[in-house]
């Protein structure tokens, strides 16, 4: 089988996507596939031409961020009739829009942090929520643009004035406690990982820099918490209509003791596949080597919603 791997892209996560693509290309070749890497840039016509020249059986979508995991490239591949890995247009666009996905989660009865959408002008004028609260773009991934405003922090107006993302700003109550994540592979959850970092929160650098975070696998949590976290992740995957692999990020407030309260933050439909990434780590933990994981994703590839 011939697989084209799309990597790079034009989002803030381009470097991560290039790293993901390099890992995936090697893994797929090790699994016996014929692989054509295609580096994606701002010229969409060139991407389409490269795909037409390669004539792959399947496209492995290793793009991250805007235009790669928000339904845009998925729509192009649907138009071309090419099966591709990960979620389709509808689930991808829904997951990338934090306001829309949060509404879908709430409708499915999943626990989400309280919050609201404001404009930069509203944020500049006053605190939209009691402190501490989190400020984040509606349409970015990998914690790009995320800030936490605590008591005594005077950056609010400056953050609002310098805001360079979508004019919608999501503000949510800050949930104390621990960072957990769960990978979903088709109709099964893999494991629960706890992420610890010396950073203020699990930001972009903590996610991708060497030594930026420490993963504990399986997470040292109450058995009931582990089961509930895995159930939330699978239900979130299903609520959005995801397929293939996804990863749910959660906060676990155990400040009053265990078992504590879980909150679903978001679902990543294009989780990283770098050497520091969480999904390959969880797959290996349950006995799925990285080449086998990538091969499974290729075999599950299709097009449509």
């Amino acid at each position: 089988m011939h697989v084209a791997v799309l990597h790079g892209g034009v989002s803030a996560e381009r470097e991560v996507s290039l790293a993901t693509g390099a890992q995936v290309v090697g893994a797929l070749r090790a699994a016996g596939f014929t692989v054509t890497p295609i580096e994606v840039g701002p010229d969409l016509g060139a991407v389409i031409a490269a795909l037409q020249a390669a004539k792959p059986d399947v496209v492995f979508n290793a793009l991250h961020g805007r235009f790669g995991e928000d339904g845009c490239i998925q729509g192009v591949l649907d138009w071309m009739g090419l099966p591709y890995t990960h979620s389709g247009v509808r689930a991808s666009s829904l997951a990338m829009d934090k306001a829309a996905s949060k509404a879908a989660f709430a409708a499915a009865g999943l626990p989400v942090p309280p919050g609201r959408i404001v404009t930069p002008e509203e944020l500049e004028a006053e605190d939209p929520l009691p402190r501490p609260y989190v400020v984040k773009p509606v349409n970015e991934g990998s914690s790009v643009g995320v800030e936490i405003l605590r008591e005594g922090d005077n950056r609010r107006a400056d953050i609002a004035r310098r805001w360079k993302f979508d004019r919608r700003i999501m503000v949510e109550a800050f949930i104390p406690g621990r960072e957990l994540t769960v990978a979903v592979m088709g109709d099964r959850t893999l494991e629960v990982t706890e992420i610890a970092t010396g950073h203020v929160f699990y930001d972009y650098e903590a996610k991708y820099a060497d030594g930026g975070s420490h993963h504990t696998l399986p997470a040292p949590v109450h058995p009931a918490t582990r089961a509930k976290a895995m159930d939330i992740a699978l239900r979130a995957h299903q609520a959005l209509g995801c397929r293939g692999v996804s990863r749910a990020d959660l906060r676990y407030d155990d400040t009053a003791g265990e078992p504590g309260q879980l909150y679903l933050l978001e679902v990543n439909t294009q989780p990283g596949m770098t050497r520091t990434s969480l999904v390959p780590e969880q797959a290996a933990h349950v006995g799925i080597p990285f080449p086998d994981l990538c091969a499974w994703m290729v075999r599950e590839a299709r097009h449509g919603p």
Side-chain angles (χ1 to χ4, degrees), residues 246-298:
S246 74
R247 196 193 74 235
D249 295 333
L250 307 99
R251 288 290 289 180
Y252 178 45
D253 183 0
D254 63 345
T255 52
E258 288 220 71
Q261 177 65 48
L262 286 162
Y263 294 87
L264 174 63
L265 298 181
E266 61 182 283
V267 167
N268 188 333
T269 57
Q270 296 280 137
M273 295 288 219
T274 70
R275 56 194 174 90
T276 58
S277 295
L278 292 147
V279 172
E281 193 174 56
Q282 287 194 7
H285 177 77
V286 299
I288 304 171
F290 188 54
D292 292 357
L293 172 64
C294 294
W296 178 87
M297 295 170 74
V298 167

Side-chain angles (χ1 to χ4, degrees), residues 83-132:
Y84 53 92
T85 60
H86 302 83
S87 296
V89 172
R90 185 173 58 206
S92 299
S93 59
L94 191 56
M96 192 67 173
D97 187 313
K98 294 182 179 67
S101 58
K102 188 172 182 177
F105 298 149
L110 297 169
V112 294
R116 54 182 288 214
I117 301 294
V118 299
T119 65
E121 291 79 12
E122 288 172 321
L123 180 62
E124 184 177 359
E126 63 181 0
D127 282 322
L129 292 176
R131 296 195 182 202

Side-chain angles (χ1 to χ4, degrees), residues 8 58 101 110 114 184 188 190 198 203 232 255 276:
V58 172
S101 58
L110 297 169
V184 178
R188 66 179 286 203
L190 298 184
D203 60 9
I232 289 171
T255 52
T276 58

Side-chain angles (χ1 to χ4, degrees), residues 166-226:
D166 188 303
R167 281 190 49 79
R168 297 174 300 161
I169 301 174
M170 175 168 281
V171 292
E172 290 181 333
F174 173 75
I175 307 299
R178 300 151 70 181
E179 192 92 22
L180 304 179
T181 195
V182 182
V184 178
M185 184 177 172
D187 58 359
R188 66 179 286 203
T189 49
L190 298 184
E191 189 47 270
V192 182
T193 298
E194 179 178 1
I195 305 158
T197 174
H199 296 233
V200 175
F201 65 99
Y202 189 44
D203 60 9
Y204 185 93
E205 186 178 351
K207 287 181 178 180
Y208 299 115
D210 286 340
S213 62
H214 174 71
H215 305 164
T216 304
L217 178 66
V221 296
H222 192 283
T225 298
R226 176 181 178 273

Side-chain angles (χ1 to χ4, degrees), residues 57-71:
D57 301 302
V58 172
V59 174
F60 193 108
N61 180 12
L63 298 171
H64 299 308
R66 296 188 70 185
F67 304 113
E69 60 181 297
D70 59 1

Side-chain angles (χ1 to χ4, degrees), residues 1-4 6 51 56-61 74 77-86 243 297-304:
M1 185 182 291
H2 181 194
V3 183
L6 297 181
L51 286 167
D57 301 302
V58 172
V59 174
F60 193 108
N61 180 12
Q74 290 82 0
L77 296 172
D78 282 343
W79 187 283
M80 297 180 71
L82 291 171
Y84 53 92
T85 60
H86 302 83
R243 64 175 189 240
M297 295 170 74
V298 167
R299 290 194 297 271
E300 292 293 308
R302 56 187 189 275
H303 48 69

